[in-house]
Amino acid sequence: MKTTACSRRGVVSVRASKGKEQGSAHRNLVASKGKKSSSSSSSSSSTSSVKKVEGGRRGEKGLIAVVGDAAVVPPARSGVAGQILGVAVVAAAAGAAVGTFVQKKLAGKGKEEEEPLGVPLALPSASLLPKDSAALAENIGYHSKYTAGGLPLRFTLPQAYQATAQSVGERLLERWDTTFNNFETENPKMAYYLSMEYLHGRTLSNAVNNIGLHGEYKDALLKFGHKLEEVESEEKDAGLGNGGLGRLASCFMDSCASLDLPVWGYGLRYKYGLFKQKIEDGLQAEVAEDWLDMSNPWEIKRDLVTYQVKFSGAVKNGEWVAGDEIQATAYDLPIPGYDTTNTISLRLWNVEAESGRFDLKSFNDGDHLSAHKSQIKAEDLCSVLYPGDDSAEGKELRLRQQYFLCSASMQDIVATFKRRQTAQVGKINWQSFPEKVSVQMNDTHPALSAPELMRILIDVEGLDWKTAWNIVKKTCNYTNHTILPEALEAWNMEMMESLLPRHMEIITRMDKEFRSSLRRSSGESIEDFQARLENMAILKNVDPVTLRKPERKASIKVGSKLSAAAVVAKEEQDEAEEPLPDPVVRMANMSVISAAHVNGVAAIHTEIVKAETFNDFYNLWPEKFQNKTNGVTPRRWLAWCNPALSKVITKWLGTEEWISDLTLLKGLEKHAEDPALKAEWVEAKTAMKVRLAEYVKENTGYDIPLTSMFDTQIKRIHEYKRQLLNIMAVAYRYKKIKAMSAAERKDVVPKVVMIGGKAFATYVQAKRIVQLIVAVAKTVNNDSEIGDLLKVVFIPNYNVSVAEVLIPGTDICQQISTAGMEASGTSNMKFMMNGSLTIGTLDGANVEIREEAGPEHFFLFGATEPEIPGIREDRAAGKFVPPPTFAETMDYIKSGVFGGETFEELLGSLEGNEGFGRGDYFCVGHDFPSYVEQLEAVDEHWKDQDKWVTSSIINTANSGKFSSDRTIDQYAREIWGVKPHAVPEL
């Protein structure tokens, strides 16, 4: 018979011999209505024959692949008799294919028959891939020879990584294809998560743990003389994200899979990532990420899953005639759930160098660069995450990236809906779209999803405006991640019209209808109503009637009796006036208007969103707004990254169930004073500090003493996150120690301060902060007079893998942002889970962390969010008096003690009363004294190690709330309306 399947490169038909074993070769991957599939057994699908296959032996021919009408014999080394190396499940009809099919040889004899099956939802299979260490070792050996690209007679670590990744990938494919097949057949409501970034770190370590084969792969690799941990370290972090936004998105994907939720993620495949950070001559330098230089064994390119994305051009007779079209090609990454078959997809869009964009004539004429110009412009879309936007070209590229993500994703989502509707009910009912689809916009980057869905429904599918708008309003949801004005994106309207003319028509109508729907409140004056309307509108700086850029009204009336000199003077005055501001499209406002639900990401953040950022919208639609406090996956961020502490936790709880139900950690609290637990806790923490110290030595050259307090702040570098406050306190501490006598120094708590994070390439002030940290570290660490009493380390190129080493080895973490400016933070949650104490402000999730741990286990300092506006007003009025300790530290740094630099430009931001880059907007000076005071309280707490260890245990025991499993469960129930859809076990 013949079935259709999808290989890594597209759709093929598989024609297999019909014989006595055909019945055992064909089974449905997933039994309907939740019943487990049963694997047929035969001599040809026994474990022993599987081992032969995975060792790379070949049997007689018996299967051909058919592409169109052409029969293709499998490559000599592509398959082995009687086995599956992967299973395909695909629905290619609408271009939303998923699955990888590696051919199966059927040993039976007989006349071949071909039966067209159409879209394959139940493909031939055989026994499951073996999972014992001996079989895995044989499989790794096979891939080392045939797929890892290594040298003969050698098995180096890079080769071992590639071979192991291929082996693990096969086992993920079993789960992945089974999951998609189940979703395709049973058609549950799906949630689709759109994010410009994902920061999921290394895949190998997470995958082998989530699918429960860590021990087996560890033993298998030992047969080759390699440790699994060393092989895992060969993998480079995926360059798909930058900070908390991307890390959160990846945590959410892990939780969705682990909770059996039918969810897909969408993003872009950045070739060079954000950047790789280096420190050269004391300054940050940026070079391109190289994560794809050696290929990515986890991704599957879907050659037949492509969509055309239009740009520029004009709308003629209601039709968008594009000036340029770029093809989006899908690359899929599997996201395996923990202790479940469910494995979901993260689909990344990429731009390929299409041959049609190559100008052969120019090339042959000798103009080689021009020949590639069109290809280069297209490929720029997926070159770099967050390209510099100081130039008009940079701004346009960012907008193009955002639309590219939204357009390809929405086209794919609509195609999936249509395919499943057709298969299930035989026709497409657009009214059921919101019943089958929920779209989550992760911040404003994917805000164009709403107008793009409108375009597809109206221009492509033929729906009327009212019907389409009702669908969009029930489908889209928006998560706000920041209240920083610069992060609430507003795109230049002229640029938007040039790049997306059809969308500007749609957005303008959205804005017009919203304005028309707004009504004056009881007792509201006309002026207040107009102000409220302008604050809520999508288009800003436009004429309220035409919704276009307003024309400056003539200041000289026709017929007025002015002398020629007076007219000239008036014209000159008009010319000297400030130009009218450019009209902009406010993406946050558009997101709120088009969303069914809007959520903040921490309790205090959501209250600020409702009371300030979107107060007018909240008053209009209070039912739209929710809080969804962020969380992190306890698998990667505790169970897998901290094996020493995890072992202790499991022993004292008597179960591993905490890995999927983090609230069980509460059971540790009753043992918090038990000397036996404390001893094991300290031993586990010390083991992680040893690992961290080795990492620091290897990557910075600095030796750090294990008996010191390890104090860590790891975040992207930003003024509101206040790494400047941290390093200024370090300088103050250094100055104090230098002034002490030998006897006084005996009472000093030894401390290692570690700071890591990337400063955005064009963020000059952030890069100056990095410069100061590096300079302080160099001076302090080379001062033999103070020895090990103080060490300072800047951790270069901070990423997920680095965090997995830093967080378990940390004693206290710094969460010191200006109150009211951090939406949530997630590193604070990771540190808490791993037994770190926190010094911080009442900002973001710190508020809830302090509530859970208890005030006595949290070191609080600084102004609160309601106090911040008054502090800034007093500063602007000249009422601020610098605290003595702050002034002393400023003068000390300016003296040139740290490498001869005075850092005047950096410290100038903390001086003056107001103005751009002046006036200490982030309140470093105000909070400095209370910060130093709490650092001293931390020292006193550390001196009582018994008390400190109790606090550490209490923090871990009360971190259960901050699991992303809890967060995602709330999204699923309260926003998406998506239910768990468990795939039967393999």
Side-chain angles (χ1 to χ4, degrees), residues 244-245 481-487 713 715-725 763 765-766 769 815-825 841 843-844 861 872 920-924 927:
L245 189 74
H481 283 278
T482 182
I483 61 170
L484 294 176
E486 65 268 25
Q713 184 182 19
K715 297 176 179 289
R716 63 186 172 90
I717 309 298
H718 197 291
E719 288 171 277
Y720 89 82
K721 293 179 183 289
R722 299 203 295 191
Q723 288 92 349
L724 181 55
L725 174 63
Y763 191 172
Q765 198 73 334
I769 294 172
Q815 309 295 336
I816 58 177
S817 52
T818 309
M821 303 203 73
E822 183 76 84
S824 169
T841 54
D843 195 29
F861 78 94
R872 289 173 177 154
D920 192 11
Y921 183 79
F922 301 99
C923 305
V924 172
D927 283 357

Side-chain angles (χ1 to χ4, degrees), residues 261-281:
L261 293 170
V263 177
W264 268 35
Y266 285 103
L268 297 184
R269 182 179 180 266
Y270 304 105
K271 186 174 182 180
Y272 303 116
L274 182 73
F275 60 81
K276 182 188 291 184
Q277 182 191 54
K278 292 186 175 181
I279 301 299
E280 297 177 352
D281 298 324

Side-chain angles (χ1 to χ4, degrees), residues 691-721:
R691 185 179 67 170
L692 174 51
E694 292 171 350
Y695 177 87
V696 169
K697 176 65 176 177
E698 180 180 350
N699 288 275
T700 70
Y702 291 133
D703 290 299
I704 57 176
L706 296 176
T707 55
S708 295
M709 180 198 305
F710 283 11
D711 178 327
T712 306
Q713 184 182 19
I714 42 175
K715 297 176 179 289
R716 63 186 172 90
I717 309 298
H718 197 291
E719 288 171 277
Y720 89 82
K721 293 179 183 289

Side-chain angles (χ1 to χ4, degrees), residues 95-96 98 180 190-198 249 253 263-270 305 307 330-332 345-349 404-417 419-420 437-440 442 446 449:
V98 169
F180 181 79
M190 297 279 296
Y192 298 95
Y193 196 85
L194 273 66
S195 179
M196 281 299 288
E197 55 172 297
Y198 293 86
M253 289 296 101
V263 177
W264 268 35
Y266 285 103
L268 297 184
R269 182 179 180 266
Y270 304 105
V305 185
Y307 298 97
Y331 283 72
D332 287 348
S345 291
L346 172 57
R347 174 157 287 180
L348 303 174
W349 300 109
F404 184 72
L405 167 65
C406 295
S407 180
S409 302
M410 297 312 296
Q411 290 184 66
D412 198 39
I413 291 167
V414 169
T416 299
F417 169 77
R419 183 182 67 250
R420 294 180 182 177
V437 174
S438 183
V439 173
Q440 190 68 44
N442 192 30
S449 296

Side-chain angles (χ1 to χ4, degrees), residues 34 43 74 89 155 161 353 518 633 640 688 757-758 766 810 844 906 950 969:
S43 58
V89 177
F155 193 55
Y161 163 67
L518 211 57
T633 169
W640 312 151
M688 295 298 97
K758 294 180 179 180
T810 292
L906 172 61
T950 297
D969 177 64

Side-chain angles (χ1 to χ4, degrees), residues 203-483:
T203 297
L204 177 56
S205 57
N206 194 66
V208 296
N209 279 294
N210 271 16
I211 65 176
L213 293 179
H214 180 273
E216 288 81 354
Y217 273 103
K218 181 178 180 180
D219 293 342
L221 284 166
L222 284 175
K223 299 177 188 297
F224 297 98
H226 289 307
K227 295 180 179 179
L228 177 57
E229 292 75 15
E230 293 174 348
V231 173
E232 290 171 345
S233 68
E234 285 296 309
E235 182 177 359
K236 295 181 179 179
D237 280 31
L240 299 173
N242 174 31
L245 189 74
R247 183 58 245 159
L248 180 75
S250 292
C251 285
F252 280 3
M253 289 296 101
D254 178 87
S255 287
C256 286
S258 298
L259 294 176
D260 298 327
L261 293 170
V263 177
W264 268 35
Y266 285 103
L268 297 184
R269 182 179 180 266
Y270 304 105
K271 186 174 182 180
Y272 303 116
L274 182 73
F275 60 81
K276 182 188 291 184
Q277 182 191 54
K278 292 186 175 181
I279 301 299
E280 297 177 352
D281 298 324
L283 304 174
Q284 173 181 293
E286 305 89 27
V287 298
E289 291 268 19
D290 57 354
W291 73 289
L292 288 176
D293 285 3
M294 297 296 290
S295 78
N296 178 12
W298 306 105
E299 67 184 14
I300 294 178
K301 180 184 177 184
R302 310 294 189 190
D303 287 295
L304 297 186
V305 185
T306 63
Y307 298 97
Q308 294 300 118
V309 178
K310 297 180 179 182
F311 291 100
S312 63
V315 180
K316 299 179 181 179
N317 299 320
E319 181 181 352
W320 182 11
V321 181
D324 189 20
E325 291 191 26
I326 295 177
Q327 181 173 285
T329 301
Y331 283 72
D332 287 348
L333 294 174
I335 309 294
Y338 170 68
D339 195 26
T340 178
T341 299
N342 284 53
T343 299
I344 61 175
S345 291
L346 172 57
R347 174 157 287 180
L348 303 174
W349 300 109
N350 193 41
V351 179
E352 308 294 313
E354 300 172 66
S355 59
R357 287 182 170 272
F358 180 70
D359 187 345
L360 185 59
K361 184 179 185 304
S362 295
F363 191 87
N364 287 332
D365 290 343
D367 193 355
H368 300 154
L369 184 59
S370 293
H372 291 281
K373 186 176 180 180
S374 179
Q375 288 181 325
I376 293 171
K377 183 177 180 180
E379 289 185 302
D380 279 349
L381 275 171
C382 294
S383 290
V384 175
L385 167 65
Y386 301 143
D389 60 353
D390 285 353
S391 64
E393 294 80 5
K395 289 182 173 65
E396 180 180 317
L397 180 55
R398 282 207 184 190
L399 180 57
R400 285 164 62 87
Q401 283 184 330
Q402 292 183 9
Y403 177 63
F404 184 72
L405 167 65
C406 295
S407 180
S409 302
M410 297 312 296
Q411 290 184 66
D412 198 39
I413 291 167
V414 169
T416 299
F417 169 77
K418 290 173 66 177
R419 183 182 67 250
R420 294 180 182 177
Q421 276 275 297
T422 302
Q424 190 175 55
V425 298
K427 63 179 181 179
I428 300 170
N429 176 13
W430 288 106
Q431 297 297 334
S432 67
F433 191 86
E435 298 170 10
K436 291 295 182 181
V437 174
S438 183
V439 173
Q440 190 68 44
M441 301 180 293
N442 192 30
D443 218 347
T444 54
H445 306 131
L448 286 168
S449 296
E452 173 64 2
L453 181 55
M454 287 291 291
R455 183 193 69 81
I456 294 171
L457 294 177
I458 295 172
D459 296 358
V460 180
E461 302 300 339
L463 275 63
D464 62 79
W465 176 276
K466 183 178 180 181
T467 300
W469 182 234
N470 285 334
I471 290 171
V472 168
K473 289 192 299 180
K474 294 176 182 178
T475 301
C476 295
N477 304 286
Y478 163 52
T479 299
N480 173 271
H481 283 278
T482 182
I483 61 170

Side-chain angles (χ1 to χ4, degrees), residues 621-635:
W621 298 312
E623 70 282 356
K624 270 195 182 190
F625 289 79
Q626 299 184 14
N627 176 57
K628 295 289 173 282
T629 297
N630 283 342
V632 300
T633 169
R635 268 85 53 190

Side-chain angles (χ1 to χ4, degrees), residues 553-811:
K553 295 180 180 179
S555 57
I556 303 175
K557 295 181 180 180
V558 177
S560 59
K561 298 178 180 180
L562 293 176
S563 66
V567 170
V568 170
K570 190 63 179 173
E571 288 177 347
E572 290 177 348
Q573 179 183 341
D574 291 346
E575 290 176 0
E577 289 182 8
E578 288 288 328
L580 294 174
D582 290 332
V584 295
V585 181
R586 292 185 283 200
M587 308 306 274
N589 284 18
M590 183 171 69
S591 297
V592 175
I593 290 170
S594 58
H597 302 94
V598 178
N599 71 279
V601 292
I604 186 175
H605 168 243
T606 300
E607 291 308 309
I608 293 172
V609 164
K610 293 191 294 187
E612 298 175 20
T613 314
F614 298 129
N615 179 249
D616 288 331
F617 286 111
Y618 175 67
N619 291 332
L620 180 65
W621 298 312
E623 70 282 356
K624 270 195 182 190
F625 289 79
Q626 299 184 14
N627 176 57
K628 295 289 173 282
T629 297
N630 283 342
V632 300
T633 169
R635 268 85 53 190
R636 182 183 290 271
W637 291 113
L638 178 55
W640 312 151
C641 76
N642 197 339
L645 195 62
S646 296
K647 184 178 179 181
V648 174
I649 292 170
T650 297
K651 174 186 173 182
W652 283 82
L653 292 180
T655 179
E656 288 187 338
E657 290 297 317
W658 63 268
I659 298 174
S660 54
D661 182 1
L662 204 64
T663 61
L664 295 178
L665 292 181
K666 189 71 173 178
L668 292 171
E669 197 165 36
K670 63 185 178 183
H671 304 295
E673 298 291 351
D674 191 311
L677 173 58
K678 287 186 175 183
E680 293 177 29
W681 200 268
V682 170
E683 184 179 359
K685 290 290 289 185
T686 301
M688 295 298 97
K689 291 179 76 169
V690 168
R691 185 179 67 170
L692 174 51
E694 292 171 350
Y695 177 87
V696 169
K697 176 65 176 177
E698 180 180 350
N699 288 275
T700 70
Y702 291 133
D703 290 299
I704 57 176
L706 296 176
T707 55
S708 295
M709 180 198 305
F710 283 11
D711 178 327
T712 306
Q713 184 182 19
I714 42 175
K715 297 176 179 289
R716 63 186 172 90
I717 309 298
H718 197 291
E719 288 171 277
Y720 89 82
K721 293 179 183 289
R722 299 203 295 191
Q723 288 92 349
L724 181 55
L725 174 63
N726 187 349
I727 198 62
M728 287 184 68
V730 172
Y732 178 72
R733 186 184 188 94
Y734 176 64
K735 183 176 184 295
K736 283 180 63 182
I737 295 173
K738 291 282 287 183
M740 289 178 182
S741 64
E744 289 173 322
R745 288 178 184 171
K746 290 181 180 180
D747 195 44
V748 172
V749 171
K751 178 184 278 193
V752 177
V753 177
M754 290 170 278
I755 303 175
K758 294 180 179 180
F760 190 67
T762 58
Y763 191 172
V764 176
Q765 198 73 334
K767 296 176 82 169
R768 288 170 179 158
I769 294 172
V770 173
Q771 181 186 3
L772 176 59
I773 296 168
V774 173
V776 171
K778 185 175 182 180
T779 299
V780 171
N781 297 342
N782 289 289
D783 190 335
S784 58
E785 182 184 354
I786 67 168
D788 288 343
L789 290 180
L790 182 62
K791 297 293 182 184
V792 182
V793 182
F794 182 80
I795 305 293
N797 202 41
Y798 171 64
N799 58 23
V800 172
S801 295
V802 175
E804 290 173 347
V805 176
L806 281 169
I807 291 171
T810 292
D811 294 307

